[in-house]
Amino acid sequence: MQSALSGVRVAVIGAGGIGGFIAGALGRAGADVAIVARGAHLEAIRANGLTVTSAALGDFTTHPYATADPRDIQDCAIAFFAFKAHQWEPLLPQL
């Protein structure tokens, strides 16, 4: 059975605990997920995927498209912003 999220392009800006969980859960449900991360976290996601450890959903790994620049993500139906408030100002020009 195909998921209702199959093929839906979703952007998750911020790959911390909340953003990573959202991206992983949506990817597992069939969405086409693109995630914005930085530094070593970005490189780890690119190399190994995004691993979620969850009592509710179990442990799993997804492989979203990962970038440091939100401008690399196009044609999204949904965007989740999962970063700290002080990060809005530097991100606004990129959005």
Side-chain angles (χ1 to χ4, degrees):
M1 177 184 247
Q2 189 171 4
S3 164
L5 290 173
S6 280
V8 174
R9 182 87 162 149
V10 178
V12 179
I13 312 340
I18 300 297
F21 178 80
I22 290 168
L26 289 170
R28 182 178 179 194
D32 177 15
V33 177
I35 193 164
V36 175
R38 298 178 298 179
H41 197 141
L42 171 61
E43 295 311 315
I45 293 169
R46 285 178 171 167
N48 305 309
L50 177 67
T51 299
V52 174
T53 303
S54 168
L57 300 180
D59 301 347
F60 59 92
T61 300
T62 63
H63 297 273
Y65 171 76
T67 182
D69 189 341
R71 293 171 291 199
D72 293 341
I73 303 171
Q74 301 294 317
D75 302 322
C76 290
I78 303 165
F80 289 92
F81 298 93
F83 51 82
K84 294 179 177 53
H86 72 274
Q87 294 171 314
W88 271 108
E89 189 173 344
L91 274 171
L92 278 175
Q94 297 175 43
L95 301 175

